[in-house]
Amino acid sequence: MIPEIELKSPQEIKQFQEEKLQELMGYLSENSPYYKKVFSENKIAISDIKSLEDLEKIPVTTKDDLYKFNDDFLCVEPSEIIDYVTTSGTTGNPVFFGLSDKDLDRLAYNEAISFACSKISKNDTIQLMTTIDRRFLAGLAYFLGARKLGAGIIRVGAGIPELQWDSIFKFNPTYLIAVPSFLLKLIEYAEINDIDINTCSVKGVICIGEPLKEQDFSDNSLSKKIKSKWNIELYSTYASTEMSTAFAECEFQQGGHHHPELIIVEILDDQNKPVKDGEDGELVITTLGVEAMPLLRFKTGDVVRAHHGACKCGRNSLRLGPVIGRKKHMIKYKGTTIYPPAMYNLMNDFSEIENYIIEIDKNEIGLDNITIKLGTKAASEDLMKRLKDHIRAKLRVLPTIVILSIDDVHKLQFPGINRKPILFVDKR
Ligand SMILES: [Zn+2]
């Protein structure tokens, strides 16, 4: 189930997207109060935008624009909205997204071709270990995608290892959808309760939320840790509510494949100019085929690297590498650019480190300061030396490291009613 366009040449894919872009320009200029205003204020005529390069003539859309002018992005009558979704905006207040009937069909198609990309077929059964309600889009997308593909789906939801294992042995799912760190909880539960995980039906996991790969597509420590105990395939997938589109890995696992029918991808630098091929930049997207709330040049805030060239699976669409970090979390430290996920990876390399939190603030002359607070039962000079050597080797610089009790770090990670631990605090 590979869409034909993904097998075409990069030139043909580009041409195809340019036709879709022109359709979108016509649609927005007729139906979107927000983009009508943008076009008129910037004197953009629809006929000006013919190629993907012409996109540069249009201002980018920020998360802030989406928050401030939320309702103006709606291109259909409110009565056309079937599903109501929210995502957290820049201020922490929710941003609303509406999906029409057609948008739900598009979402189902997106997820079906993304599942198929990761080798899931009609004969598979998927156990969903993420939430499907609470106005989130992801769980619903997975359900619709499985239905469209004809695969079975078991909606267990997030957490509760006992229920997850019970369901695995009762219904024999071949795939799971889960946050990778939750797989460690499942393994831990199985070890305590004498469950032989390698005899269960699960072949692979569609992993969301946390990176599994280094930038060269080798397994990161989280991925290695899981695979050392459990003989399964781990597939990364990257998606968001705003994109309404997923980038899923194929069996060769060389980045998430772009679906040209559904989204236009730009990778931009700080001046909103395209980066050179292979350089890191912010992912900026334009949705295709979205009816209720299409987005044009939306800045996702995620820093990624695109990979071009044919993939062994036959697809020629570009591939996105693992998310390097959030643009706003970028740290300039002693002349080096660092994103928090790189430091999470380093902490995960040490089994002695029980928990950790990374704090960023500014020093008296306005430069970024990094403090890693970690909890361990095995504090020693030897551990400190190995840790420092490892960090220096990978990051080329050494942040301040403070060893605390596991309890104290736990308190810092869960300051309020948070369900998930906080790993990064930005005090700048
Ligand atoms: Zn591929």
Side-chain angles (χ1 to χ4, degrees):
M1 193 180 167
I2 304 182
E4 226 175 280
I5 186 68
E6 299 185 14
L7 301 168
K8 296 264 170 76
S9 71
Q11 194 50 40
E12 284 169 302
I13 292 175
K14 180 169 184 287
Q15 245 166 30
F16 171 86
Q17 290 218 296
E18 289 173 344
E19 278 163 35
K20 293 278 169 196
L21 174 61
Q22 288 172 43
E23 278 172 33
L24 174 69
M25 291 299 294
Y27 182 78
L28 292 176
S29 65
E30 266 178 33
N31 300 296
S32 169
Y34 178 80
Y35 288 110
K36 267 189 222 178
K37 202 173 98 205
V38 169
F39 296 159
S40 90
E41 280 175 4
N42 294 278
K43 302 192 173 50
I44 295 166
I46 303 313
S47 55
D48 292 344
I49 311 299
K50 294 223 153 51
S51 69
L52 296 186
E53 289 78 10
D54 291 336
L55 277 170
E56 268 194 69
K57 298 174 188 167
I58 308 168
V60 291
T61 302
T62 64
K63 290 203 172 190
D64 211 34
D65 296 329
L66 193 53
Y67 172 67
K68 276 198 206 133
F69 309 105
N70 206 176
D71 292 342
D72 290 345
F73 282 85
L74 200 58
C75 293
V76 297
E77 291 298 318
S79 61
E80 296 300 311
I81 294 170
I82 306 282
D83 196 58
Y84 289 78
V85 177
T86 55
T87 141
S88 53
T90 38
T91 57
N93 290 318
V95 170
F96 153 73
F97 264 86
L99 284 89
S100 68
D101 191 42
K102 243 179 91 183
D103 291 339
L104 289 171
D105 285 345
R106 179 189 168 284
L107 192 66
Y109 175 72
N110 157 69
E111 212 52 61
I113 60 175
S114 299
F115 280 153
C117 190
S118 303
K119 287 305 184 204
I120 300 181
S121 76
K122 186 187 178 325
N123 301 323
D124 286 303
T125 306
I126 306 164
Q127 183 157 318
L128 180 63
M129 300 186 168
T130 65
T131 164
I132 198 168
D133 54 0
R134 306 244 169 145
R135 306 193 309 223
F136 282 127
L137 189 59
L140 181 69
Y142 295 131
F143 177 78
L144 294 173
R147 184 170 181 226
K148 172 107 185 152
L149 193 62
I153 187 155
I154 312 157
R155 292 174 294 111
V156 180
I160 328 178
E162 185 180 358
L163 182 61
Q164 302 288 0
W165 280 116
D166 176 69
S167 190
I168 288 171
F169 284 104
K170 195 173 175 66
F171 301 112
N172 298 309
T174 41
Y175 282 85
L176 311 176
I177 298 173
V179 178
S181 55
F182 182 64
L183 297 177
L184 291 174
K185 295 248 164 64
L186 281 184
I187 293 169
E188 190 185 292
Y189 182 89
E191 282 173 345
I192 294 168
N193 292 281
D194 281 331
I195 296 170
D196 184 358
I197 52 177
N198 286 308
T199 60
C200 80
S201 53
V202 178
K203 295 190 293 193
V205 186
I206 305 297
C207 292
I208 57 166
E210 295 158 347
L212 290 165
K213 293 272 192 332
E214 304 286 355
Q215 290 303 314
D216 64 0
F217 302 122
S218 60
D219 286 342
N220 69 13
S221 40
L222 178 60
S223 179
K224 280 185 202 152
K225 210 182 257 181
I226 297 165
K227 285 183 181 171
S228 71
K229 306 240 165 151
W230 201 352
N231 183 24
I232 43 175
E233 290 293 334
L234 301 177
Y235 293 94
S236 306
T237 173
Y238 165 66
S240 70
T241 301
E242 294 92 340
M243 299 198 290
S244 262
T245 306
F247 292 80
E249 279 186 329
C250 69
E251 71 265 41
F252 298 101
Q253 306 206 339
Q254 298 290 302
H257 274 287
H258 169 218
H259 300 309
E261 297 162 285
L262 302 177
I263 200 163
I264 294 172
V265 168
E266 296 176 86
I267 314 272
L268 303 185
D269 66 16
D270 294 339
Q271 279 73 48
N272 293 330
K273 297 278 176 211
V275 299
K276 291 198 191 84
D277 268 5
E279 280 181 5
D280 303 345
E282 183 173 357
L283 176 67
V284 175
I285 58 98
T286 296
T287 54
L288 297 173
V290 171
E291 184 177 54
M293 285 180 77
L295 294 176
L296 179 60
R297 304 202 82 205
F298 175 74
K299 296 185 83 171
T300 63
D302 289 331
V303 177
V304 295
R305 192 179 301 166
H307 297 261
H308 301 273
C311 181
K312 278 190 246 172
C313 67
R315 291 174 180 84
N316 290 314
S317 55
L318 71 78
R319 288 162 280 121
L320 291 186
V323 173
I324 296 164
R326 302 284 302 157
K327 182 96 193 170
K328 64 173 181 188
H329 292 162
M330 186 178 85
I331 306 155
K332 285 276 186 195
Y333 190 67
K334 296 178 183 167
T336 299
T337 300
I338 304 171
Y339 291 93
M343 292 189 275
Y344 305 161
N345 276 345
L346 296 179
M347 294 299 112
N348 292 334
D349 285 336
F350 289 83
S351 55
E352 300 94 326
I353 297 177
E354 209 69 35
N355 52 10
Y356 60 86
I357 185 163
I358 294 164
E359 293 180 353
I360 310 299
D361 54 15
K362 280 205 185 295
N363 67 14
E364 59 281 1
I365 52 169
L367 296 175
D368 291 348
N369 236 342
I370 309 175
T371 308
I372 303 176
K373 293 181 175 170
L374 57 91
T376 176
K377 281 182 231 162
S380 69
E381 267 177 42
D382 171 62
L383 173 67
M384 201 59 157
K385 182 179 180 313
R386 282 188 292 124
L387 184 61
K388 284 182 175 176
D389 287 349
H390 188 57
I391 294 175
R392 267 198 212 100
K394 295 279 183 181
L395 296 184
R396 287 173 291 155
V397 288
L398 186 65
T400 308
I401 300 172
V402 180
I403 294 184
L404 297 174
S405 73
I406 294 166
D407 238 24
D408 284 342
V409 175
H410 187 84
K411 276 181 202 143
L412 294 172
Q413 283 184 333
F414 294 89
I417 48 159
N418 289 55
R419 219 161 28 91
K420 276 164 78 183
I422 294 173
L423 302 181
F424 177 71
V425 185
D426 201 339
K427 297 177 172 170
R428 290 176 291 186

